[in-house]
Every structure is written in C-alpha cells, then in structure tokens.
Amino acid sequence: MRIGFLTGGRLSDHAAQLLESGADVIVCGFQSLGEVSYERELRGETGLFEEVALLSKETKGVIVAGCFTDLPVGRRKSVVVAEKGRILGVSDMLNRMDGGEYRAGAGIKMFETCPGKLGVIVAEDVCFPRVGETLSVCGADLAVCVYEQFCGIEPVLARAQAFFFGLPFILCGYGYAFAADIGGRVRFASPRRVSSFDLPREQEYHLVETRRRGVSRRQRSEI
C-alpha cells in the first residue's frame, strides 16, 4: 500500500504533486482544508468536501483530510474521508481535554476502502489508547491519525500503540509525516511538504490466555 502525505499548504495547491505520487491513500493535515462550515457547504457557497471527493476520483484512491468543522453547537476537529469520487464520511475528535476550544464528537469510525479497512484517529485522540485498541479489535488494517501541531510525544504514542495493538500507525501533522509498523519500528519519517512511501501489509495474531476471578460457570441449580 502506497501512502502519500501533505504536511503543509492547501490541498488544491498541491493536487498535481499528490497525483504524481501514485499513492493509494493520501493523508493531509488540518491546513489542507482549514475551516469548513457545514451550512455554507450545504448552501453551495463553498466546495471543500467536493474538492476532496474530486481529488480522490482523479487519484482513483483514498483521500484522508483534516479540517476544522463549524456547526451551530460549536467547532470540532474533524477528518473527511473520500474514495474514488465519493465522500465516505466525516470523523470527529472524541476527547475534549480540559474544556478546550473544540467540542467532542461521538463514535470511533473505520472505513471500508479498496486498500483496506482504515481506522481514523483525530488529533488528540491519539493520546487515548482505547481508540487505537478499539480499531484493532474491530479489524482495521491501518490507523491513520491526522494531527494539528506535533509536541514531540505523538510519534512515541503511535509506536507504542502499533506494537501493543498490532496495527500500523500513520501520523500526519503540520510539517511532519510519520509511520510505524506493527513491531513499533519507525518505517517512515519526513518533514517534506509532499512525500510518500510504501507500507507493507502485515498482520500477526497470537493466542493470549489470562486467568481471572469471577464469571462463575456454576449451574442454576447450584446457586
């Protein structure tokens, strides 16, 4: 699976370069779309989601793009996913930390695409391992996290979760792209604005047994 990244600049300004990458999945940071108003999109005053859909049609692949969505109830950090000209859905950040500016969304989302099952992690949700664990349990082939501005700990968190949950992790934020394989090893890292690399398909399963107290198996007659 070839993964492409856009870590700086608008999506429309770098469409040609992204097309040349030949990537199956292109991941774009929050600056790629910026602010998106659902009301203006529905009224046809803006066409940012359409822009994502059209580029996915041209690439014949998947586009994963971050944006700040504006709703009557408040702003959210979101990620829109499109494949071959069709919007598959929008995933919002689940966890709002310390009453931050961006409201919490609802539901962890995974998208069935031709390259595989893509699990989406939005921004600070990468700090909450249950999100990555849920995607792994639900059969995701790849975890894609779109971040805003890296603080330094995010690649460490991605490597740890890739190792614990057996799920390749992709990070894309302003000025940096990163990937870790299921062994927690760094497979790719680049500060370039437009970049790409080939991610091998890996799946590994183990039988894990645990002893615990409780969950009695006695028959009703014995109780």
Side-chain angles (χ1 to χ4, degrees):
M1 185 190 306
R2 190 164 185 79
I3 310 292
F5 296 97
L6 176 62
T7 64
R10 304 288 293 188
L11 183 63
S12 56
D13 295 335
H14 296 85
Q17 289 175 275
L18 294 170
L19 277 168
E20 290 174 4
S21 70
D24 302 299
V25 179
I26 297 173
V27 188
C28 310
F30 283 95
Q31 82 295 324
S32 62
L33 294 179
E35 299 283 342
V36 177
S37 167
Y38 277 120
E39 290 185 359
R40 296 186 66 194
E41 285 281 306
L42 290 171
R43 289 199 299 263
E45 296 174 7
T46 59
L48 296 172
F49 283 178
E50 182 183 11
E51 184 179 307
V52 176
L54 289 174
L55 182 58
S56 72
K57 185 177 181 179
E58 291 184 64
T59 62
K60 298 179 181 179
V62 180
I63 306 293
V64 181
C67 58
F68 305 101
T69 49
D70 189 11
L71 301 98
V73 295
R75 299 173 75 223
R76 289 177 178 165
K77 289 184 180 181
S78 306
V79 170
V80 57
V81 180
E83 181 182 29
K84 296 181 179 179
R86 184 168 63 95
I87 297 292
L88 300 183
V90 179
S91 183
D92 299 322
M93 185 174 70
L94 296 178
N95 300 283
R96 183 184 187 186
M97 300 174 66
D98 300 326
E101 175 186 357
Y102 299 95
R103 296 179 63 88
I108 298 172
K109 292 188 179 179
M110 183 172 68
F111 298 92
E112 292 266 8
T113 69
C114 289
K117 297 176 182 177
L118 304 185
V120 175
I121 300 176
V122 184
E124 284 81 5
D125 282 345
V126 75
C127 300
F128 297 83
R130 283 190 177 181
V131 178
E133 183 179 17
T134 300
L135 292 173
S136 177
V137 169
C138 292
D141 296 310
L142 177 67
V144 179
C145 177
V146 179
Y147 211 82
E148 188 177 358
Q149 184 74 50
F150 292 112
C151 299
I153 192 65
E154 295 82 12
V156 179
L157 296 174
R159 292 180 64 186
Q161 292 182 58
F163 175 78
F164 284 125
F165 307 137
L167 189 62
F169 258 70
I170 300 295
L171 285 177
C172 181
Y174 183 74
Y176 192 61
F178 173 89
D181 65 16
I182 62 173
R185 295 175 292 266
V186 178
R187 295 303 298 261
F188 180 81
S190 174
R192 287 183 295 167
R193 179 164 289 189
V194 178
S195 59
S196 61
F197 86 110
D198 292 307
L199 178 70
R201 294 180 181 274
E202 295 180 287
Q203 287 188 337
E204 190 173 315
Y205 294 88
H206 299 276
L207 177 63
V208 179
E209 297 184 71
T210 305
R211 291 183 63 190
R212 57 165 291 180
R213 297 180 65 177
V215 195
S216 174
R217 299 179 66 182
R218 288 182 295 176
Q219 299 296 319
R220 287 180 177 272
S221 59
E222 300 177 46
I223 300 177

